[in-house]
Amino acid sequence: MKINKIAVIGAGVMGSGIAAQAANAGYPVVLLDIVPPDLAKFGGNRNAFAEGAVEKMLKADPAPFMLPGNAKRITCGNLEDHLNLLADVDWIIEVVVENLEIKHKTYAKLDHHRKKGSIVSSNTSTIPLHKLAEGQSDQFKKDFMITHFFNPPRYMRLLELIVSKETRLDAIETVRNFCDIELGKGVVLCHDTPGFIANRLGVFWLTAGINEAIKQKISIELADAVMSKPVGIPKTGVFGLIDLVGIDLMPKLADSLLTNLPQGDAYRKLHVDYPFVHQMIAAGYTGRKGKGGFYRLDPNSKDKAKQTLALSPDSFAESQYKPASKASKEKPESADAGKKGLRAVVETEDAGGKYAWEVLKQTLHYAASLVGEIADTVFDIDEAMKLGYNWKNGPFEMIDALGPKWFAAKLKIENIDVPEILKKVGEGTFYRIENGKRQFFGTDGKYHDVKRPEGVLLLSDLKLSSEPVLKNGSAKVWDIGGGVLCFEHQTKMNTFDEDLFALLEQARTTIEKSGGKYKALVIYNEGSHFSAGANLGLAIFMINIAMWPQVESFVAQGQKVFMNLKYAPFPVVSAPSGMALGGGCEILLASDAVQAHAETYCGLVEVGVGLIPGWGGCKEMILRHQERERSKFSEDMGKIGKTNVWFSPDTTPMGASRKAFEAIGTAKVAKSAHEAVEIGYFRETDGITMNRDRLLYDAKQRALKLAENYKTPEKVQNIRIAGAGGKLALDMAVTDLQKSGKATPYDGVVSAHLAEVLTGGGADLTDKVTEDDLLKLELREFMKLVRNEGTLARIEHMLDKGKPLRN
């Protein structure tokens, strides 16, 4: 069976977010909610809840939609007038309130109107599947399952899939594959138990975190400083995460678990119903979405960068907020110990080390006691926590970092029962590498291979059984099979330096001289971000001691390397994910094709530090927009039956220069791969992959396809430019922005140099320039800006504050 159309029942935050992600994937969606009880309040609009949810998402930040236009794929309606819209829907996702009676009434309506063989799932996070299925028809039970998305659905990768013995196998595989490939989710099969995997463990961990902070009388700042990056958990830590998800959500999750968990479960003993939590909720202090939470911004601060205030973790009153301790001032020794590993953190004899041990001891013990109950394998549990809570390592990977034998011994010393799976693993580990494959320890006492779905290719797996073809201190090159090499950045933030450029050149010559052994290059890495561009630390060092020849040589080296890649006798495919900024965007522009993860955020942002793109970004943006204009012109002429016309956009080059100027001059960053196509950073023919784990495989297939009949492109020799008149027009536009206060004086300085490049360096409108001419212009204007003191101030400010200087 194939899913072609989706319906979401319930237009709350989760329901509308799921609908948006389905629309992002290119599918038509029906979004239904109840008719508002007080219709007059909504001007008689019976679809007000669904339509209002879509309107709200279009204004939200971060945006649920990858492109605003994706909202057009959603048809809004209500559950009284529009159930007929379900007649051709393949998958219906129920996201109504967590009330069993209401859900059962909703299922009765859906079952009456849905098409035969359609799949129905619930997004419940609290109600077991067997209770949801009670009283439903046999056919409904066969078509029914739980698909638990995490909020926000666009950005959170975990999808917990819960099925019953009655659920059809083909329905399970259909939904599993669709959520994986089309929606970009990491699908984890869970057992039908309260809280499933991630929330069962996550709520336990957060509760332990609160309890221990109160018990040990430590500040929330100290607790979060240790229970974050030092132990491989996001920087929000415990209290920051509770603020993020909403303090009002915690009692609801607790009530659900307490209602459904077995009597002897450890969470029942751990849970404390703190009065101050209810006081915070009643006063509107529900976290970031409310007046504040455990942390808040000082409302009385006159500084734009408002001071962060923090509460004591055991009481609440508005008057109790005090300035939060800076991490640098209160950072305990145990937090620094994280560089040495997890065990070093919990063995550190300070308040942070003791806190980390108590919280992790309880959490990891609880996880080990649930293997077989909440999921079949330790691997499934680890994946759920990594995907759902963004932990760097899952609970059993953490136990491996501590040492299972050491951990079990510590539990015995503290008179805590050692879970059965921990006894079984004994002196071994939960994961091992055997014959180049990663294996996990099973409940049967044996090791089993970690199996990836078809179409998933990870460098982390390849590295277990192979050595790099080429390497230096900044990068490595891997053979990923089929005659394709993969270039992997290895620098901090995957920035570019001279050694990285040198290895790119070596990779190019290796393919060229391989005699056909290698036929394509993929540029890819598995870091959080593809590349942050040039190494600003290196740049500021060279600028500070006036190493102008070295700076110029570095920029020229990047131009040469990128041009060599663009005109190599083999295809180059770049596969970005996360941020691809500055030089990270320029290498995409120099590639034959891009296969991007949907969550790619790219842009030419150099103006933020007082510079302009220097590695061909200006030139490539002109070429991209001219190419797009020619294509659209030809398409428009074809529509009216004219294929041979003397006129061409080549004679009006200002359009391309203006669009390039707008993107570069405003440091515009695409907030998705789809938006990157609209801006012009990507071609309309470039590919987009929804699931991050499938990106390398898709890029490899794209490279192999291009290699079949690959012809080296010819250098562009006749580029039409806007000339001196075009530069004047761009300069005037910036002057107007300065007069209105939307641009600073130094913005005008940078923009003037940018306009010089984009319009041809003062050349006449009738002149045609080459790519090499534009590169020389880029280098010349770049170096003028490098020598300007205003640029140095901006680079220093960016390195110090992490954001552009606006003056």
Side-chain angles (χ1 to χ4, degrees):
M1 121 175 239
K2 193 174 186 303
I3 293 174
N4 294 307
K5 189 174 182 179
I6 297 163
V8 179
I9 311 301
V13 172
M14 279 301 299
S16 59
I18 294 168
Q21 184 64 357
N24 288 335
Y27 289 86
V29 183
V30 173
L31 180 62
L32 305 181
D33 207 315
I34 61 171
V35 175
D38 186 358
L39 263 178
K41 204 172 176 182
F42 297 91
N45 183 2
R46 295 171 64 83
N47 304 333
F49 285 164
E51 290 176 1
V54 173
E55 289 172 10
K56 189 174 181 180
M57 287 194 293
L58 285 168
K59 299 173 184 175
D61 187 19
F65 291 112
M66 293 179 181
L67 278 178
N70 291 348
K72 295 176 183 177
R73 297 193 179 108
I74 299 178
T75 300
C76 295
N78 67 73
L79 285 166
E80 292 181 21
D81 305 325
H82 302 110
L83 286 170
N84 61 302
L85 295 177
L86 303 179
D88 61 346
V89 166
D90 304 296
W91 178 21
I92 303 169
I93 308 168
E94 169 268 303
V95 202
V96 302
V97 295
E98 292 290 80
N99 179 295
L100 189 58
E101 183 181 353
I102 292 174
K103 286 183 185 289
H104 281 164
K105 288 180 179 178
T106 302
Y107 296 158
K109 290 182 180 180
L110 300 180
D111 206 20
H112 182 70
H113 289 87
R114 71 188 182 101
K115 78 175 184 179
K116 185 178 180 181
S118 62
I119 298 167
V120 182
S121 71
S122 173
N123 185 61
T124 183
S125 60
T126 61
I127 304 174
L129 185 146
H130 63 272
K131 289 188 177 181
L132 293 174
E134 282 176 358
Q136 306 305 315
S137 68
D138 289 344
Q139 187 57 51
F140 186 92
K141 291 177 181 178
K142 289 178 182 179
D143 299 333
F144 186 65
M145 64 189 74
I146 291 173
T147 49
H148 181 217
F149 290 80
F150 276 63
N151 192 36
R154 171 181 166 183
Y155 301 97
M156 295 303 294
R157 292 189 61 204
L158 177 62
L159 182 128
E160 293 179 317
L161 180 61
I162 299 92
V163 301
S164 70
K165 292 178 180 178
E166 289 91 352
T167 311
R168 292 185 286 120
L169 291 179
D170 65 321
I172 296 170
E173 284 308 301
T174 296
V175 169
R176 187 172 195 160
N177 290 334
F178 187 88
C179 291
D180 170 357
I181 299 168
E182 303 298 331
L183 300 184
K185 301 303 171 188
V187 181
V188 177
L189 197 61
C190 311
H191 292 176
D192 187 19
T193 56
F196 313 129
I197 298 175
N199 280 341
R200 178 83 171 266
L201 293 178
V203 172
F204 187 99
W205 163 67
L206 290 171
T207 304
I210 296 172
N211 290 355
E212 289 302 323
I214 293 171
K215 180 180 177 182
Q216 297 182 33
K217 297 182 179 179
I218 64 172
S219 69
I220 65 173
E221 303 98 293
L222 191 150
D224 285 347
V226 177
M227 194 51 58
S228 52
K229 189 176 179 180
V231 297
I233 285 171
K235 63 182 180 181
T236 48
V238 170
F239 295 94
L241 179 60
I242 294 171
D243 277 358
L244 179 63
V245 300
I247 292 171
D248 54 330
L249 181 63
M250 294 303 292
K252 295 175 183 176
L253 289 170
D255 288 346
S256 170
L257 288 172
L258 293 170
T259 300
N260 294 294
L261 285 173
Q263 286 304 312
D265 191 86
Y267 179 74
R268 291 186 176 280
K269 184 178 180 181
L270 184 77
H271 176 258
V272 179
D273 189 18
Y274 292 108
F276 77 86
V277 171
H278 297 286
Q279 291 167 8
M280 291 178 74
I281 295 168
Y285 286 84
T286 54
R288 294 189 188 181
K289 64 184 178 182
K291 298 178 183 178
F294 289 105
Y295 298 97
R296 70 178 298 200
L297 295 177
D298 185 356
N300 299 315
S301 175
K302 295 179 181 179
D303 191 351
K304 286 185 179 179
K306 291 187 177 180
Q307 185 177 31
T308 300
L309 305 176
L311 278 177
S312 168
D314 59 352
S315 61
F316 169 73
E318 290 189 52
S319 60
Q320 291 178 339
Y321 279 102
K322 62 180 182 179
S325 301
K326 294 290 184 183
S328 58
K329 293 181 180 177
E330 197 173 336
K331 194 172 185 180
E333 184 184 341
S334 48
D336 283 330
K339 299 170 185 174
K340 301 175 184 176
L342 185 61
R343 189 154 152 186
V345 176
V346 300
E347 287 187 323
T348 302
E349 290 294 327
D350 67 3
K354 292 175 184 176
Y355 174 76
W357 166 245
E358 287 299 327
V359 175
L360 291 178
K361 173 188 71 179
Q362 295 171 60
T363 304
L364 300 181
H365 175 267
Y366 189 55
S369 70
L370 295 175
V371 181
E373 179 184 336
I374 61 175
D376 288 333
T377 71
V378 299
F379 177 74
D380 287 334
I381 294 173
D382 280 349
E383 286 296 290
M385 293 311 296
K386 289 191 288 186
L387 294 170
Y389 277 73
N390 285 328
W391 288 9
K392 184 178 180 181
N393 297 300
F396 297 94
E397 291 170 324
M398 287 186 180
I399 295 175
D400 274 358
L402 295 173
K405 182 181 177 182
W406 178 89
F407 184 58
K410 289 281 286 183
L411 294 177
K412 285 181 181 178
I413 291 170
E414 298 189 26
N415 295 316
I416 300 171
D417 289 337
V418 178
E420 192 61 32
I421 191 78
L422 201 52
K423 292 177 183 176
K424 282 185 179 181
V425 80
E427 297 187 1
T429 54
F430 285 105
Y431 292 92
R432 73 176 189 183
I433 307 303
E434 190 73 16
N435 298 320
K437 291 185 177 180
R438 192 178 189 220
Q439 297 182 328
F440 64 86
F441 187 77
T443 54
D444 58 0
K446 299 176 182 178
Y447 284 94
H448 305 268
D449 289 345
V450 171
K451 295 180 180 178
R452 306 290 186 191
E454 184 181 352
V456 170
L457 177 63
L458 299 174
L459 274 185
S460 56
D461 288 344
L462 288 170
K463 291 175 183 180
L464 301 177
S465 58
S466 61
E467 294 294 325
V469 176
L470 303 167
K471 68 176 181 177
N472 64 19
S474 297
K476 291 180 179 177
V477 178
W478 302 89
D479 186 339
I480 59 173
V484 181
L485 291 183
C486 177
F487 185 92
E488 179 194 24
H489 289 61
Q490 296 258 298
T491 51
K492 185 177 181 180
M493 288 294 288
N494 295 321
T495 53
F496 289 86
D497 60 23
E498 291 176 334
D499 285 346
L500 191 141
F501 281 140
L503 200 70
L504 263 174
E505 272 292 277
Q506 195 177 348
R508 178 184 63 83
T509 57
T510 297
I511 296 174
E512 287 183 7
K513 296 176 181 179
S514 69
K517 179 181 178 181
Y518 301 121
K519 51 192 174 186
L521 178 67
V522 169
I523 300 171
Y524 162 92
N525 64 72
E526 287 168 5
S528 299
H529 300 291
F530 178 72
S531 175
N535 183 333
L536 288 181
L538 174 64
I540 203 167
F541 170 75
M542 291 193 289
I543 293 170
N544 266 321
I545 58 176
M547 295 174 65
W548 310 127
Q550 288 83 353
V551 174
E552 187 166 357
S553 175
F554 179 50
V555 178
Q557 182 189 18
Q559 289 186 347
K560 179 182 177 184
V561 170
F562 287 0
M563 281 290 279
N564 285 346
L565 287 178
K566 181 176 180 179
Y567 293 108
F570 56 84
V572 176
V573 176
S574 286
S577 178
M579 291 192 300
L581 305 177
C585 182
E586 286 177 289
I587 199 170
L588 305 182
L589 292 167
S591 303
D592 290 282
V594 170
Q595 184 68 40
H597 180 223
E599 299 298 345
T600 297
Y601 318 116
C602 66
L604 297 171
V605 297
E606 288 85 351
V607 297
V609 291
L611 294 170
I612 62 172
W615 290 331
C618 298
K619 163 183 70 75
E620 289 299 328
M621 287 299 283
I622 291 173
L623 294 175
R624 289 290 175 93
H625 284 297
Q626 288 189 353
E627 177 187 335
R628 188 167 289 187
E629 285 181 355
R630 282 193 296 270
S631 176
K632 187 176 187 307
F633 180 78
S634 297
E635 184 182 328
D636 290 344
M637 289 300 100
K639 287 178 181 177
I640 60 175
K642 295 184 178 181
T643 55
N644 293 306
V645 292
W646 65 270
F647 177 81
S648 153
D650 273 345
T651 59
T652 57
M654 189 57 195
S657 293
R658 185 181 64 254
K659 289 175 183 175
F661 186 79
E662 288 171 358
I664 301 171
T666 59
K668 192 165 188 178
V669 175
K671 295 182 179 179
S672 70
H674 295 278
E675 188 179 8
V677 175
E678 283 202 343
I679 296 170
Y681 295 136
F682 296 169
R683 297 182 180 93
E684 293 177 352
T685 54
D686 286 333
I688 297 174
T689 298
M690 292 294 283
N691 192 321
R692 176 71 171 78
D693 290 345
R694 294 179 174 275
L695 183 58
L696 180 56
Y697 178 86
D698 289 350
K700 176 184 173 182
Q701 299 309 307
R702 185 72 183 274
L704 288 171
K705 185 70 176 174
L706 288 172
E708 288 177 3
N709 297 295
Y710 188 76
K711 292 181 180 179
T712 305
E714 295 182 6
K715 273 193 177 183
V716 183
Q717 298 295 337
N718 297 306
I719 305 170
R720 278 294 201 182
I721 43 82
K727 183 179 185 307
L728 180 62
L730 296 178
D731 287 342
M732 288 174 64
V734 174
T735 300
D736 289 342
L737 289 173
Q738 287 177 314
K739 287 179 179 178
S740 64
K742 295 179 181 178
T744 68
Y746 199 74
D747 288 336
V749 174
V750 178
S751 295
H753 290 282
L754 175 61
E756 182 78 4
V757 176
L758 294 177
T759 57
D764 189 83
L765 180 64
T766 58
D767 291 344
K768 291 184 178 180
V769 298
T770 67
E771 288 189 76
D772 290 336
D773 292 332
L774 288 179
L775 285 174
K776 288 174 184 175
L777 264 177
E778 275 192 25
L779 181 57
R780 185 186 79 190
E781 299 305 311
F782 183 95
M783 289 307 300
K784 288 179 182 177
L785 284 168
V786 163
R787 289 183 168 89
N788 193 306
E789 289 183 3
T791 294
L792 178 60
R794 274 154 179 74
I795 296 176
E796 288 177 334
H797 188 272
M798 177 64 79
L799 287 172
D800 183 43
K801 304 294 185 182
K803 57 185 179 181
L805 179 64
R806 303 306 301 160
N807 63 32

